[in-house]
Amino acid sequence: MHSNKKQILVNAIMLFVRMGIMLVVALYTSRIVLQQLGIADFGIYNVVAGIVMLMGFFNGSLAQGVQRFLNYYLAQGDFKALNQVYSASVVIAVLLAVIVFILGETLGIWFLNNYMNIPHDRVIAANFVFQFALILIVSSIFQIPHIGLLMAHENMGTYAVISISYSILQCICAYCLSFYEYDKLILYSVITAGVTIIISIVYKIYCNLKYPEARFQLHKQTAIYRELLTFSGWNILGNSAYAINLQGINIILNIFFGPSMNAARAIAMQIGTKIDELSGNVQMASNPQIVHHYAKGEFEALQSLMMNNFKWNFYLLWIIGLPLFLELDYVLEAWLGIVPQSTLLFTSIIISRCLIKSFEKPLVSTIFATGRTKYMMIGVSITIFIELLIVYLVLYLGAEAYWAFFLEAGAVFVYVIFYMIYLRIIGLFSFQRFMKQVLFPLLLISILSLPFTYLVYQFPGRSFCHLILTCLTSVIITCTCIFFIGLNKLERQQVISKIRGYAK
């Protein structure tokens, strides 16, 4: 157990380093792209690329299936099965890429040119963006088997290095836009597709050199294909609903409000995505151990790990999210220079949604570990489609755009409750344990830390020093509350021991 905790910690640290570097690079890249493209073209790129992402909703489904089975057979020590899963995933990825390409060149093109709210003088550019975004998503599909191998082997260091390289290349390409005098929107779509192709090749070469099971063999046994497709099949339902929800809201905003609102949502979603990655790093580091515990029947250890994930996901988001929420107006202006209308409000709602979503990740990871995803995906898909319908009706009746974000946050809360009930039914979740070990301590920590941080925020002046002061207050107050309230006696002793060790 101790070695498992140590491995999770090492993996989490590697992923946090990755996230920190990628966060800085991504924020700077967004600033450059927004300034070079302008608000309208920035919105067009995000909504048009979003249509392509909608075509690629199979992508996440296969990734989850591949990683789950690789983790499972690695825990069992069955290396023959590992090669079968990898080879089958390559075959399925090729078929998936063909399906996505056909969908994009038919339904995608038709929808773009008949229903999207694109200025007439940018329709040709939007079609170029669509084509290169389609190349990007097809290329990313071929990364799935190789990223699955890295995750199964808990090789977070290599994953971090490649991911950081991808972000840096994107940033360099964005900077190059300043030297181009013609249509920068088209150029940006070309270079982002090219960078994705390069990264896909790097993943393949590394895995082929590093892992013996990454040798493609065309297996004739249909069982492994059936297992992957059956598991991924229900995930396709859920992930298609997620994709339709994410990109569908973006498309609905485009229909009712135009590209400028898509620009505001794109910026808000980028901040939300980076905040989500904080808890996602802890979860990604823990996912292999969750699968291992389930595969070995260690259900008590699995539930303990899940409860710890709840707490640490929330702790991290609260420490970062609280000062960001308070100082958001200054952060957006300092970051972007040009802040699209409604960005501040959209981002505030998304930060609140991220706190709710931090409870979702451990639940979903545990359900995926069991492989029993059928009813979860059906329930979530129904909720998502109802949410999307309500968003459309509310905006059709004349509501402001921010209502779409409120409804989205409410839907996340519904998903969390549904996942908890589902895990309770199959005997892997206890509401009483959750309330005692997670919810009550988190509420108390939040209630105690909020007033002190807000008091410091009220000091006059808005500057970088003011932002740092607010952040430091949030970290000190929240960490103090976590130490005395969020940790048990043994955990406090371990923290004190670690601090003394580092001091020496």
Side-chain angles (χ1 to χ4, degrees), residues 243-298:
I244 291 172
N245 176 62
L246 180 64
Q247 305 303 336
I249 290 178
N250 205 25
I251 292 170
I252 291 173
L253 288 174
N254 175 266
I255 292 172
F256 286 105
F257 301 102
S260 62
M261 202 62 71
N262 295 124
R265 176 175 168 82
I267 293 168
M269 289 301 297
Q270 183 175 15
I271 294 175
T273 299
K274 296 306 177 184
I275 294 175
D276 277 337
E277 285 183 4
L278 280 169
S279 57
N281 285 329
V282 175
Q283 201 56 57
M284 191 182 296
S286 301
N287 283 345
Q289 295 300 328
I290 289 177
V291 176
H292 290 180
H293 286 318
Y294 183 80
K296 295 178 180 179
E298 300 168 349

Side-chain angles (χ1 to χ4, degrees), residues 99-134:
I99 292 172
V100 169
F101 184 80
I102 293 173
L103 286 174
E105 294 294 351
T106 53
L107 292 177
I109 289 292
W110 168 77
F111 187 85
L112 171 65
N113 290 287
N114 288 277
Y115 289 97
M116 296 304 297
N117 187 357
I118 306 293
H120 292 295
D121 61 335
R122 304 304 290 151
V123 171
I124 294 177
N127 277 271
F128 272 101
V129 170
F130 185 91
Q131 294 298 326
F132 286 105
L134 192 59

Side-chain angles (χ1 to χ4, degrees), residues 268 324-325 328-329 332 342-353:
L324 178 60
F325 185 89
L328 189 57
D329 53 346
L332 287 174
S342 301
T343 303
L344 177 62
L345 179 57
F346 291 174
T347 308
S348 300
I349 300 171
I350 284 180
I351 291 173
S352 302
R353 189 203 69 177

Side-chain angles (χ1 to χ4, degrees), residues 493-504:
Q493 290 175 348
Q494 291 174 340
V495 170
I496 293 172
S497 177
K498 289 288 184 182
I499 292 174
R500 287 176 176 172
Y502 290 133
K504 292 180 181 180

